[in-house]
Amino acid sequence: MPEIDPALARWITAPGEDPQDPLLRLSFTLDSPPVSARLLVTGLGTFRAHVNGAEVSPSRLDPGLTDPRHRVQVCEHDVATLLRGGENVLAIELGRGFHAMTTPNVWRWHLAPWRGPVRAWSHLRIELADGTVRAVATGADWRTRPGPVTFDSMYEGESFEPVEDPAAWKLPGYDASGWDPVLVDRPGGGSRRGRRAPEPRMQLQGQEPVVEQGEIVPQVVSSSPQRVVLDMGRVIAGWCRFSLADQVPGTAAPLEFVARHAEKLRADGTVEDENEHLRTDRFQEDRVRLEPGFARSFAPRHSYKGFRYVQLERIGGDLASLEVTGIPAWADLREVSVLRSSEAYLEQFDAAMRASLRNNMHHVPTDSPSQEKNGWTGDALTALAAMTTIDDMRRMLGKWVVDQVDGQRPDGSLAVISPTPDWGYEELSPAPEWTCLLPTLLDELATEYGQREPVAEHGAAAADHLAHELGRRDEDGLISGVLGDYLSPGSPGPAPEDKRLSATLSVARALRSLAHAVDLATVAGGSRDADPWTSSGQEIPGVPAPQSLRAEALALEEAVNAVFLDPEQGRYRDPGTPDSAPLRQTSNLLPLAFGIVPAEHVEAVVSHLVEDITARGGHHDCGHLGVRHLLPVLSTHGQGALAWRVLTAPGAPGWRDWLEAGNATFMEMWEAPRSCSHYFMGTPVTWIHEHVVGLRRGPDGWREFVVAPDPDVPVASISLTRQTDLGEIVVEVDRQERTLEVVVPEGSRAQLVLPGLATTVGPGRHAVAW
């Protein structure tokens, strides 16, 4: 990401120890019309910037959370069309975000080591028609006062109490003579006044911004003069716009109300607005006063919510005069695939995963838009293939890699959430099934997008983390974890089985991922056309040679087999358990998925797995790790029909009941879910893409890919259109007609694998039958 010179401007804030919603304003005069103008602007917290009353960008919640001890993101905008000769106004409004949170919470965001007053930094370079150049920057000449948002919290919501037209201060001609001078941080100043700290790196924003994604007119669930409950029709991430109806006269009394947001309703029809992780009685609640004479509308400016239902409670005025619009908002990602099928359930499943993911795309992938909003790394580790199949993720994942490296401790350890306020190194840790995301991301960026630079820049950090994990091996050569196959049926969270199996295999897989990433990053000539196993002879400083990484992975895999594989029964089980102990599906799935089961035992392990699923009536017994790998393992071993049965089984645990109940997103857990927009239980969508359609990326990218639809899945027709850096791939499968059509882009070739047929084809459209 390009670097920005911090000396271009000064950090400014408002007077007071912890200013709330400060408005920052500068009026300046241009003696000649502007020809071009580039605005660099950022904030610690969130910011909204305006030039002459117009927002400089449609983006929201900028600049995106980072650890500001290391780096701060800066947004860049062309604002030439917003400027004019004469008086101009540059205006910035600040919110708390996760930088200056006051809400007590279990993750300690309110105690983040960087916590301090919200601040703004801005530099505007203007080229004028007379040939001169003007620079306008934040500094001592700015003025400030508190804004109309008297409270804001990413978790609790916002309070809006206007005393004048909220747009007036952004415009030329406004009288700001009574405003206070800003406070200017000295160079090298820390976020806490009086503390000196190294200047963070300032870089242009790397990930896609959050933008509004349309509007929803809600339906009324129930209504009375005191309370109205509205339904958006689906869980969304975003907020509501509250507006007075046009017929309300400007002389009318104010309308005051509380708006509670939730994903679910209680049995009595009220919203279930509860969060056990907060130490406050307020959650996703906006408190609003609309003034008919000057402030007729409000939408939250510095926070977002995850919700389907909104409960309006009257304080003063008439709720019948209020119009409510739902505003979904998430990262402006480019969609790269479209799935179509004769089986409506598959389209519904695919759509639910897309919606669940997008509700969690806010500068980094998060786990839920309501309950947590944290970048849980293990959730993404299982959903990575789905993410990159659905959207172009290179920018967001690239930003997230940097966040994880910035959060790494000197001993190589990583937190289970990123960014982190110094939480998650000991809490719910160690958890390699989460923290091993970093090397996996480097491999994904290199393989999917051909990005070698992140491997070269951050490979050493990934290697340090793996060395940290290897240093935790016990006398069995295994690595412990505290989470495992999270949220398996009947579990309150951590898996009931010995979690060393999943933890050790996660480290082994991460070692192989890093080795592969290094291979791609050091390939001879730097070309993706080259043989990936032909080394250029280059080394990445701080990263062991790929063969050393693979040797460490093999040792871990052999240790898992030595401790967990029962060669007589042909299944994996916890050491010391009796022969009659129930089979744990994930303990047998992972060795199959990662290819470590000795060849002579594969058939027995698969057979035990099939027997257990069948005995359960076609249901799985998996948490977040198992559901990602169960169906692909079944298809790989000739059990495609059983995989279909599991995916479509009614009852719990399963997905069909969720979707048939009218949910458009996935739940977090199988019983009594907290979150209703949680993507890590939707990862069987990858089986749909890779086995029902059959499109699978080659081991080194899209120059060679596989199309191998599972013939045993009883789905008549299905297609997937997939954009890659080499061009568009189209796969159309018709099992009734026993035909396959494939479009291969230039620079690629496809291996077609069908019953009785295996062939390789080059660019163009191809049709085959079997």
Side-chain angles (χ1 to χ4, degrees):
M1 291 176 279
E3 301 278 334
I4 302 297
D5 182 2
L8 290 173
R10 304 289 297 276
W11 285 99
I12 62 173
T13 187
E17 191 63 30
D18 195 13
Q20 169 62 43
D21 188 42
L23 310 181
L24 307 167
R25 184 181 193 273
L26 179 69
S27 173
F28 59 95
T29 300
L30 297 180
D31 296 328
S32 178
V35 175
S36 66
R38 183 186 77 150
L39 176 67
L40 298 172
V41 59
T42 190
L44 294 181
T46 63
F47 75 86
R48 301 281 286 268
H50 300 77
V51 172
N52 294 330
E55 289 207 85
V56 302
S57 168
S59 60
R60 299 290 182 262
L61 307 174
D62 279 335
L65 178 65
T66 59
D67 184 334
R69 296 171 297 178
H70 294 277
R71 71 192 70 237
V72 174
Q73 296 195 113
V74 179
C75 300
E76 180 181 33
H77 303 293
D78 182 345
V79 297
T81 59
L82 304 181
L83 294 166
R84 64 189 188 189
E87 184 188 7
N88 291 268
V89 173
L90 178 55
I92 302 173
E93 176 185 351
L94 293 173
R96 294 184 176 277
F98 285 96
H99 178 79
M101 182 172 285
T102 58
T103 303
N105 61 91
V106 70
W107 310 284
R108 302 195 297 271
W109 287 109
H110 61 299
L111 300 174
W114 58 73
R115 194 190 184 287
V118 295
R119 296 188 293 172
W121 182 100
S122 178
H123 179 269
L124 173 59
R125 184 182 188 276
I126 310 165
E127 295 183 1
L128 302 174
D130 62 7
T132 61
V133 175
R134 176 82 181 275
V136 177
T138 45
D141 51 347
W142 284 59
R143 294 295 180 266
T144 183
R145 76 158 203 203
V149 176
T150 57
F151 178 85
D152 71 282
S153 165
M154 281 289 185
Y155 294 120
E156 294 184 74
E158 299 189 20
S159 296
F160 181 64
E161 301 177 48
V163 296
E164 67 174 18
D165 179 354
W169 70 282
K170 309 167 192 173
L171 298 171
Y174 178 82
D175 181 8
S177 58
W179 286 36
D180 296 323
V182 298
L183 296 181
V184 180
D185 275 8
R186 64 184 185 277
S191 60
R192 296 180 186 272
R193 294 186 178 91
R195 173 189 296 179
R196 299 190 66 84
E199 287 286 350
R201 298 173 67 183
M202 299 183 70
Q203 299 177 325
L204 286 181
Q205 186 182 60
Q207 77 284 2
E208 291 82 358
V210 173
V211 298
E212 296 181 357
Q213 303 282 350
E215 298 185 352
I216 297 173
V217 178
Q219 300 298 308
V220 177
V221 176
S222 63
S223 178
S224 73
Q226 296 299 319
R227 185 175 71 201
V228 176
V229 177
L230 303 175
D231 181 3
M232 298 293 158
R234 67 182 192 273
V235 175
I236 63 171
W239 45 82
C240 287
R241 182 176 65 241
F242 305 104
S243 304
L244 293 174
D246 290 342
Q247 63 267 28
V248 177
T251 56
L255 173 60
E256 294 186 69
F257 60 93
V258 172
R260 305 179 189 274
H261 302 68
E263 296 178 343
K264 297 179 289 184
L265 294 178
R266 300 186 181 96
D268 65 0
T270 60
V271 296
E272 188 177 301
D273 55 339
E274 300 170 355
N275 190 329
E276 63 183 353
H277 301 299
L278 306 184
R279 307 296 181 251
T280 174
D281 59 0
R282 179 174 176 175
F283 174 54
Q284 295 206 137
E285 177 184 308
D286 292 329
R287 301 175 182 176
V288 181
R289 186 181 77 237
L290 297 181
E291 295 282 355
F294 56 83
R296 299 178 64 90
S297 182
F298 170 72
R301 305 181 62 74
H302 303 292
S303 62
Y304 72 99
K305 304 169 182 71
F307 66 102
R308 173 173 175 172
Y309 301 98
V310 182
Q311 181 171 301
L312 307 171
E313 299 173 0
R314 175 185 174 275
I315 297 175
D318 184 2
L319 289 177
S321 66
L322 183 64
E323 295 177 349
V324 180
T325 305
I327 309 292
W330 54 75
D332 191 22
L333 297 164
R334 180 173 67 93
E335 188 172 53
V336 297
S337 67
V338 177
L339 181 118
R340 295 287 182 264
S341 179
S342 60
E343 177 57 60
Y345 177 68
L346 291 186
E347 290 191 355
Q348 187 181 16
F349 197 106
D350 179 80
M353 185 57 165
R354 291 171 190 260
S356 300
L357 282 168
R358 286 170 186 156
N359 279 346
N360 284 288
M361 295 295 166
H362 296 87
H363 302 297
V364 300
T366 64
D367 65 325
S368 67
S370 61
Q371 293 288 317
E372 300 196 26
K373 298 182 171 76
N374 288 317
W376 284 92
T377 50
D379 301 36
L381 191 52
T382 60
L384 193 55
M387 288 181 182
T388 55
T389 295
I390 290 170
D391 290 315
D392 185 337
M393 294 293 297
R394 76 189 78 198
R395 291 175 59 188
M396 184 177 288
L397 295 181
K399 186 262 187 189
W400 207 16
V401 163
V402 174
D403 289 331
Q404 291 168 58
V405 174
D406 283 348
Q408 188 170 36
R409 286 182 167 177
D411 65 358
S413 62
L414 294 167
V416 293
I417 62 172
S418 180
T420 174
D422 271 0
W423 184 93
Y425 299 96
E426 289 82 27
E427 302 86 357
L428 299 183
S429 291
E433 303 93 337
W434 272 252
T435 56
C436 283
L437 176 65
L438 176 58
T440 308
L441 283 183
L442 295 178
D443 189 29
E444 185 70 12
L445 290 170
T447 306
E448 177 69 29
Y449 305 116
Q451 293 190 347
R452 300 152 43 113
E453 295 80 6
V455 185
E457 186 173 357
H458 304 299
D464 286 347
H465 179 62
L466 294 174
H468 170 78
E469 291 297 329
L470 289 170
R472 297 195 305 106
R473 283 176 287 193
D474 61 18
E475 63 276 7
D476 293 322
L478 300 173
I479 298 170
S480 64
V482 300
L483 296 179
D485 187 31
Y486 204 66
L487 291 174
S488 58
S491 164
E497 62 265 16
D498 188 332
K499 290 172 274 293
R500 292 182 301 167
L501 184 147
S502 60
T504 303
L505 288 184
S506 294
V507 176
R509 197 178 201 202
L511 286 161
R512 294 189 180 278
S513 293
L514 183 57
H516 183 252
V518 172
D519 283 332
L520 293 180
T522 58
V523 68
S527 170
R528 297 182 80 188
D529 290 316
D531 179 354
W533 304 112
T534 303
S535 173
S536 65
Q538 297 175 331
E539 294 182 356
I540 296 178
V543 182
Q547 59 267 31
S548 297
L549 296 169
R550 292 188 176 95
E552 293 282 16
L554 180 60
L556 294 177
E557 294 158 356
E558 290 175 342
V560 167
N561 282 337
V563 173
F564 290 97
L565 176 60
D566 182 339
E568 294 184 4
Q569 289 199 352
R571 66 170 182 153
Y572 288 78
R573 59 181 178 140
D574 289 356
T577 56
D579 292 349
S580 59
L583 181 102
R584 296 299 300 170
Q585 290 181 8
T586 298
S587 296
N588 288 270
L589 279 169
L590 296 183
L592 289 166
F594 298 169
I596 75 160
V597 182
E600 64 272 21
H601 296 298
V602 169
E603 183 177 351
V605 174
V606 171
S607 177
H608 283 297
L609 181 62
V610 169
E611 289 174 5
D612 189 73
I613 295 170
T614 303
R616 295 175 183 273
H619 286 281
H620 67 80
D621 186 35
C622 297
H624 84 294
L625 294 174
V627 297
R628 166 62 181 88
H629 297 289
L630 173 58
L631 306 188
V633 163
L634 291 175
S635 274
T636 298
H637 294 282
Q639 297 291 331
L642 181 59
W644 174 254
R645 183 183 175 191
V646 173
L647 188 74
T648 59
W655 300 269
R656 180 177 285 279
D657 282 7
W658 285 348
L659 298 179
E660 290 187 347
N663 294 296
T665 49
F666 288 117
M667 308 296 107
E668 178 184 14
M669 53 193 72
W670 305 111
E671 301 94 5
R674 297 176 311 156
S675 168
C676 299
S677 188
H678 212 97
Y679 62 77
F680 77 174
M681 290 303 186
T683 55
V685 76
T686 297
W687 175 75
I688 298 173
H689 299 153
E690 296 187 354
H691 292 271
V692 184
V693 176
L695 177 61
R696 300 197 281 277
R697 186 181 66 198
D700 302 313
W702 287 106
R703 292 199 178 278
E704 185 165 310
F705 58 92
V706 176
V707 181
D710 187 333
D712 297 326
V713 177
V715 172
S717 63
I718 190 167
S719 68
L720 184 69
T721 301
R722 173 76 152 86
Q723 302 292 332
T724 74
D725 282 2
L726 295 175
E728 183 177 88
I729 297 171
V730 181
V731 179
E732 299 172 350
V733 183
D734 190 325
R735 288 177 175 83
Q736 286 186 332
E737 300 296 326
R738 299 171 65 85
T739 61
L740 169 67
E741 293 193 21
V742 179
V743 175
V744 181
E746 289 295 329
S748 289
R749 60 180 183 174
Q751 297 178 16
L752 311 183
V753 182
L754 297 161
L757 173 67
T759 187
T760 299
V761 297
R765 176 176 284 273
H766 307 273
V768 296
W770 78 89

